[in-house]
Amino acid sequence: MRKKRSRPQAPLSFEYVAKPVDGSPDQTLTMTNHTETTVRPTLAFIPHNMYGMPMPKVEVRTVLGTHLGAALLPGHATVQDILRFDGPGAQDVRAVQIAVTDIEELEHPPLDAGLRAVMVDLDQKATLDPEDFWGVGVANGNPFGVQVRVALVAFEDRVGDQPQQVEDVVTLEGDIEVASESHEVIWLPENVRGMFHHVAWCLVPQTLV
């Protein structure tokens, strides 16, 4: 009996979930780098409906700009983005076909420890309530500094059992430099408090001065 040969693991893997059950936003794209090399991929998407039919009239964008090659994917790291659908039938998208159209290798150490950005209240405690969303807390547990890009995401009201659509995205002006094993808090202007429901983030190449 012949032994089945296991297929080698692809350098990058992608998973799109229209309605996650883990508390993540709807229409989440999870990207995993299975190599030691930090890359910056540019992705293209073909949306499909619940019957598996492509939807060429639906435009696909991403909150963090992975369709433009804007986000770093460090070695052995996982990054989450959120897809945005616009056009006739956008609410009917249930799956996407993903292709890497370009990829750039960069010098960046792999992540050894935690790195996250969350909504925080006035006491700098993590919150999920938009009314208590006063600032963005960014924590870096790695032994090196990082540069983080943060986007504030607002969602439309949910319609029935359809995936919740992104209504608005505001990327913070200026990327955030976070020193090794430290954290930063960026306070929001009063006029935007209560307007956003989620914080999305990604690493970007550090700007050398």
Side-chain angles (χ1 to χ4, degrees), residues 183-202:
H183 71 278
E184 299 285 342
V185 174
I186 299 87
W187 298 109
L188 301 181
E190 186 174 355
N191 62 328
V192 302
R193 293 172 191 159
M195 295 175 57
F196 295 94
H197 310 99
H198 181 71
V199 169
W201 62 275
C202 65

PDB file of all heavy atoms in Angstrom, residues 183-202:
ATOM      1  N   HIS A 183       3.271  50.433  26.268  1.00  0.00           N
ATOM      2  CA  HIS A 183       1.959  50.665  25.692  1.00  0.00           C
ATOM      3  C   HIS A 183       1.729  52.162  25.524  1.00  0.00           C
ATOM      4  O   HIS A 183       2.375  52.982  26.190  1.00  0.00           O
ATOM      5  CB  HIS A 183       0.861  50.046  26.558  1.00  0.00           C
ATOM      6  CG  HIS A 183       0.633  50.769  27.850  1.00  0.00           C
ATOM      7  ND1 HIS A 183       1.407  50.562  28.970  1.00  0.00           N
ATOM      8  CD2 HIS A 183      -0.294  51.711  28.199  1.00  0.00           C
ATOM      9  CE1 HIS A 183       0.979  51.324  29.946  1.00  0.00           C
ATOM     10  NE2 HIS A 183      -0.047  52.035  29.510  1.00  0.00           N
ATOM     11  N   GLU A 184       0.820  52.489  24.615  1.00  0.00           N
ATOM     12  CA  GLU A 184       0.450  53.871  24.351  1.00  0.00           C
ATOM     13  C   GLU A 184      -1.067  53.981  24.327  1.00  0.00           C
ATOM     14  O   GLU A 184      -1.771  53.021  23.990  1.00  0.00           O
ATOM     15  CB  GLU A 184       1.008  54.332  22.992  1.00  0.00           C
ATOM     16  CG  GLU A 184       2.520  54.296  22.864  1.00  0.00           C
ATOM     17  CD  GLU A 184       3.193  55.433  23.609  1.00  0.00           C
ATOM     18  OE1 GLU A 184       2.488  56.429  23.929  1.00  0.00           O
ATOM     19  OE2 GLU A 184       4.408  55.345  23.855  1.00  0.00           O
ATOM     20  N   VAL A 185      -1.576  55.159  24.685  1.00  0.00           N
ATOM     21  CA  VAL A 185      -3.006  55.445  24.575  1.00  0.00           C
ATOM     22  C   VAL A 185      -3.164  56.689  23.717  1.00  0.00           C
ATOM     23  O   VAL A 185      -2.532  57.718  23.965  1.00  0.00           O
ATOM     24  CB  VAL A 185      -3.664  55.655  25.948  1.00  0.00           C
ATOM     25  CG1 VAL A 185      -5.115  56.106  25.770  1.00  0.00           C
ATOM     26  CG2 VAL A 185      -3.608  54.381  26.773  1.00  0.00           C
ATOM     27  N   ILE A 186      -4.014  56.580  22.696  1.00  0.00           N
ATOM     28  CA  ILE A 186      -4.316  57.713  21.824  1.00  0.00           C
ATOM     29  C   ILE A 186      -5.761  58.106  22.089  1.00  0.00           C
ATOM     30  O   ILE A 186      -6.691  57.335  21.813  1.00  0.00           O
ATOM     31  CB  ILE A 186      -4.125  57.343  20.335  1.00  0.00           C
ATOM     32  CG1 ILE A 186      -2.673  56.944  20.087  1.00  0.00           C
ATOM     33  CG2 ILE A 186      -4.498  58.503  19.437  1.00  0.00           C
ATOM     34  CD1 ILE A 186      -2.379  55.496  20.331  1.00  0.00           C
ATOM     35  N   TRP A 187      -5.956  59.294  22.647  1.00  0.00           N
ATOM     36  CA  TRP A 187      -7.305  59.742  22.996  1.00  0.00           C
ATOM     37  C   TRP A 187      -8.015  60.291  21.769  1.00  0.00           C
ATOM     38  O   TRP A 187      -7.405  60.956  20.928  1.00  0.00           O
ATOM     39  CB  TRP A 187      -7.244  60.799  24.096  1.00  0.00           C
ATOM     40  CG  TRP A 187      -6.654  60.286  25.367  1.00  0.00           C
ATOM     41  CD1 TRP A 187      -5.445  60.603  25.900  1.00  0.00           C
ATOM     42  CD2 TRP A 187      -7.247  59.328  26.261  1.00  0.00           C
ATOM     43  NE1 TRP A 187      -5.233  59.919  27.068  1.00  0.00           N
ATOM     44  CE2 TRP A 187      -6.317  59.129  27.325  1.00  0.00           C
ATOM     45  CE3 TRP A 187      -8.456  58.634  26.274  1.00  0.00           C
ATOM     46  CZ2 TRP A 187      -6.572  58.260  28.372  1.00  0.00           C
ATOM     47  CZ3 TRP A 187      -8.713  57.770  27.326  1.00  0.00           C
ATOM     48  CH2 TRP A 187      -7.784  57.589  28.359  1.00  0.00           C
ATOM     49  N   LEU A 188      -9.301  60.015  21.671  1.00  0.00           N
ATOM     50  CA  LEU A 188     -10.092  60.437  20.526  1.00  0.00           C
ATOM     51  C   LEU A 188     -10.676  61.823  20.753  1.00  0.00           C
ATOM     52  O   LEU A 188     -10.983  62.198  21.884  1.00  0.00           O
ATOM     53  CB  LEU A 188     -11.239  59.452  20.280  1.00  0.00           C
ATOM     54  CG  LEU A 188     -10.860  57.996  20.021  1.00  0.00           C
ATOM     55  CD1 LEU A 188     -12.123  57.184  19.765  1.00  0.00           C
ATOM     56  CD2 LEU A 188      -9.913  57.876  18.849  1.00  0.00           C
ATOM     57  N   PRO A 189     -10.860  62.591  19.673  1.00  0.00           N
ATOM     58  CA  PRO A 189     -11.567  63.872  19.812  1.00  0.00           C
ATOM     59  C   PRO A 189     -12.991  63.633  20.304  1.00  0.00           C
ATOM     60  O   PRO A 189     -13.608  62.606  20.003  1.00  0.00           O
ATOM     61  CB  PRO A 189     -11.564  64.430  18.382  1.00  0.00           C
ATOM     62  CG  PRO A 189     -10.458  63.708  17.684  1.00  0.00           C
ATOM     63  CD  PRO A 189     -10.380  62.357  18.311  1.00  0.00           C
ATOM     64  N   GLU A 190     -13.511  64.579  21.046  1.00  0.00           N
ATOM     65  CA  GLU A 190     -14.834  64.421  21.649  1.00  0.00           C
ATOM     66  C   GLU A 190     -15.917  64.205  20.602  1.00  0.00           C
ATOM     67  O   GLU A 190     -16.894  63.475  20.832  1.00  0.00           O
ATOM     68  CB  GLU A 190     -15.163  65.650  22.498  1.00  0.00           C
ATOM     69  CG  GLU A 190     -16.455  65.515  23.287  1.00  0.00           C
ATOM     70  CD  GLU A 190     -16.664  66.685  24.226  1.00  0.00           C
ATOM     71  OE1 GLU A 190     -15.760  67.534  24.329  1.00  0.00           O
ATOM     72  OE2 GLU A 190     -17.746  66.748  24.843  1.00  0.00           O
ATOM     73  N   ASN A 191     -15.752  64.808  19.414  1.00  0.00           N
ATOM     74  CA  ASN A 191     -16.822  64.742  18.418  1.00  0.00           C
ATOM     75  C   ASN A 191     -16.942  63.379  17.743  1.00  0.00           C
ATOM     76  O   ASN A 191     -17.903  63.148  16.996  1.00  0.00           O
ATOM     77  CB  ASN A 191     -16.625  65.823  17.347  1.00  0.00           C
ATOM     78  CG  ASN A 191     -15.335  65.647  16.571  1.00  0.00           C
ATOM     79  OD1 ASN A 191     -14.347  65.169  17.107  1.00  0.00           O
ATOM     80  ND2 ASN A 191     -15.336  66.043  15.317  1.00  0.00           N
ATOM     81  N   VAL A 192     -16.018  62.447  17.977  1.00  0.00           N
ATOM     82  CA  VAL A 192     -16.136  61.122  17.352  1.00  0.00           C
ATOM     83  C   VAL A 192     -16.444  60.028  18.376  1.00  0.00           C
ATOM     84  O   VAL A 192     -16.618  58.873  18.003  1.00  0.00           O
ATOM     85  CB  VAL A 192     -14.852  60.740  16.576  1.00  0.00           C
ATOM     86  CG1 VAL A 192     -14.543  61.773  15.516  1.00  0.00           C
ATOM     87  CG2 VAL A 192     -13.669  60.538  17.511  1.00  0.00           C
ATOM     88  N   ARG A 193     -16.521  60.390  19.651  1.00  0.00           N
ATOM     89  CA  ARG A 193     -16.818  59.385  20.671  1.00  0.00           C
ATOM     90  C   ARG A 193     -18.238  58.845  20.493  1.00  0.00           C
ATOM     91  O   ARG A 193     -19.172  59.597  20.255  1.00  0.00           O
ATOM     92  CB  ARG A 193     -16.640  59.974  22.062  1.00  0.00           C
ATOM     93  CG  ARG A 193     -15.197  60.324  22.380  1.00  0.00           C
ATOM     94  CD  ARG A 193     -15.054  61.089  23.672  1.00  0.00           C
ATOM     95  NE  ARG A 193     -13.706  61.619  23.813  1.00  0.00           N
ATOM     96  CZ  ARG A 193     -13.391  62.635  24.605  1.00  0.00           C
ATOM     97  NH1 ARG A 193     -14.335  63.221  25.346  1.00  0.00           N
ATOM     98  NH2 ARG A 193     -12.155  63.065  24.676  1.00  0.00           N
ATOM     99  N   GLY A 194     -18.364  57.539  20.597  1.00  0.00           N
ATOM    100  CA  GLY A 194     -19.650  56.894  20.441  1.00  0.00           C
ATOM    101  C   GLY A 194     -20.031  56.582  19.011  1.00  0.00           C
ATOM    102  O   GLY A 194     -21.085  55.984  18.763  1.00  0.00           O
ATOM    103  N   MET A 195     -19.182  56.957  18.042  1.00  0.00           N
ATOM    104  CA  MET A 195     -19.518  56.762  16.636  1.00  0.00           C
ATOM    105  C   MET A 195     -18.949  55.469  16.057  1.00  0.00           C
ATOM    106  O   MET A 195     -19.390  55.025  14.991  1.00  0.00           O
ATOM    107  CB  MET A 195     -19.009  57.949  15.809  1.00  0.00           C
ATOM    108  CG  MET A 195     -19.667  59.278  16.135  1.00  0.00           C
ATOM    109  SD  MET A 195     -18.915  60.648  15.223  1.00  0.00           S
ATOM    110  CE  MET A 195     -19.126  60.093  13.531  1.00  0.00           C
ATOM    111  N   PHE A 196     -17.964  54.861  16.733  1.00  0.00           N
ATOM    112  CA  PHE A 196     -17.280  53.700  16.169  1.00  0.00           C
ATOM    113  C   PHE A 196     -17.423  52.496  17.087  1.00  0.00           C
ATOM    114  O   PHE A 196     -17.566  52.622  18.294  1.00  0.00           O
ATOM    115  CB  PHE A 196     -15.805  54.029  15.922  1.00  0.00           C
ATOM    116  CG  PHE A 196     -15.613  55.098  14.878  1.00  0.00           C
ATOM    117  CD1 PHE A 196     -15.480  56.428  15.250  1.00  0.00           C
ATOM    118  CD2 PHE A 196     -15.592  54.775  13.530  1.00  0.00           C
ATOM    119  CE1 PHE A 196     -15.322  57.417  14.291  1.00  0.00           C
ATOM    120  CE2 PHE A 196     -15.448  55.758  12.572  1.00  0.00           C
ATOM    121  CZ  PHE A 196     -15.313  57.082  12.949  1.00  0.00           C
ATOM    122  N   HIS A 197     -17.354  51.312  16.464  1.00  0.00           N
ATOM    123  CA  HIS A 197     -17.652  50.075  17.181  1.00  0.00           C
ATOM    124  C   HIS A 197     -16.481  49.112  17.304  1.00  0.00           C
ATOM    125  O   HIS A 197     -16.581  48.112  18.024  1.00  0.00           O
ATOM    126  CB  HIS A 197     -18.794  49.333  16.466  1.00  0.00           C
ATOM    127  CG  HIS A 197     -19.982  50.182  16.171  1.00  0.00           C
ATOM    128  ND1 HIS A 197     -20.219  50.756  14.938  1.00  0.00           N
ATOM    129  CD2 HIS A 197     -21.003  50.577  16.973  1.00  0.00           C
ATOM    130  CE1 HIS A 197     -21.334  51.454  14.978  1.00  0.00           C
ATOM    131  NE2 HIS A 197     -21.835  51.361  16.192  1.00  0.00           N
ATOM    132  N   HIS A 198     -15.388  49.387  16.621  1.00  0.00           N
ATOM    133  CA  HIS A 198     -14.298  48.408  16.574  1.00  0.00           C
ATOM    134  C   HIS A 198     -13.002  49.122  16.214  1.00  0.00           C
ATOM    135  O   HIS A 198     -13.004  50.148  15.528  1.00  0.00           O
ATOM    136  CB  HIS A 198     -14.616  47.322  15.535  1.00  0.00           C
ATOM    137  CG  HIS A 198     -13.576  46.254  15.426  1.00  0.00           C
ATOM    138  ND1 HIS A 198     -13.361  45.304  16.404  1.00  0.00           N
ATOM    139  CD2 HIS A 198     -12.665  45.986  14.447  1.00  0.00           C
ATOM    140  CE1 HIS A 198     -12.393  44.484  16.027  1.00  0.00           C
ATOM    141  NE2 HIS A 198     -11.954  44.889  14.852  1.00  0.00           N
ATOM    142  N   VAL A 199     -11.885  48.534  16.677  1.00  0.00           N
ATOM    143  CA  VAL A 199     -10.547  49.008  16.319  1.00  0.00           C
ATOM    144  C   VAL A 199      -9.845  47.924  15.511  1.00  0.00           C
ATOM    145  O   VAL A 199      -9.719  46.789  15.961  1.00  0.00           O
ATOM    146  CB  VAL A 199      -9.716  49.335  17.586  1.00  0.00           C
ATOM    147  CG1 VAL A 199      -8.256  49.559  17.216  1.00  0.00           C
ATOM    148  CG2 VAL A 199     -10.271  50.554  18.290  1.00  0.00           C
ATOM    149  N   ALA A 200      -9.438  48.266  14.313  1.00  0.00           N
ATOM    150  CA  ALA A 200      -8.637  47.361  13.485  1.00  0.00           C
ATOM    151  C   ALA A 200      -7.218  47.913  13.415  1.00  0.00           C
ATOM    152  O   ALA A 200      -7.010  49.132  13.434  1.00  0.00           O
ATOM    153  CB  ALA A 200      -9.232  47.240  12.085  1.00  0.00           C
ATOM    154  N   TRP A 201      -6.244  47.017  13.329  1.00  0.00           N
ATOM    155  CA  TRP A 201      -4.863  47.491  13.336  1.00  0.00           C
ATOM    156  C   TRP A 201      -3.964  46.543  12.555  1.00  0.00           C
ATOM    157  O   TRP A 201      -4.303  45.379  12.334  1.00  0.00           O
ATOM    158  CB  TRP A 201      -4.325  47.608  14.775  1.00  0.00           C
ATOM    159  CG  TRP A 201      -4.290  46.291  15.502  1.00  0.00           C
ATOM    160  CD1 TRP A 201      -5.314  45.705  16.187  1.00  0.00           C
ATOM    161  CD2 TRP A 201      -3.191  45.375  15.565  1.00  0.00           C
ATOM    162  NE1 TRP A 201      -4.924  44.488  16.686  1.00  0.00           N
ATOM    163  CE2 TRP A 201      -3.623  44.259  16.320  1.00  0.00           C
ATOM    164  CE3 TRP A 201      -1.895  45.390  15.061  1.00  0.00           C
ATOM    165  CZ2 TRP A 201      -2.790  43.172  16.586  1.00  0.00           C
ATOM    166  CZ3 TRP A 201      -1.059  44.311  15.321  1.00  0.00           C
ATOM    167  CH2 TRP A 201      -1.512  43.223  16.085  1.00  0.00           C
ATOM    168  N   CYS A 202      -2.821  47.074  12.138  1.00  0.00           N
ATOM    169  CA  CYS A 202      -1.806  46.252  11.481  1.00  0.00           C
ATOM    170  C   CYS A 202      -0.451  46.914  11.655  1.00  0.00           C
ATOM    171  O   CYS A 202      -0.356  48.110  11.948  1.00  0.00           O
ATOM    172  CB  CYS A 202      -2.108  46.059   9.994  1.00  0.00           C
ATOM    173  SG  CYS A 202      -2.036  47.586   9.029  1.00  0.00           S
TER     174      CYS A 202
END
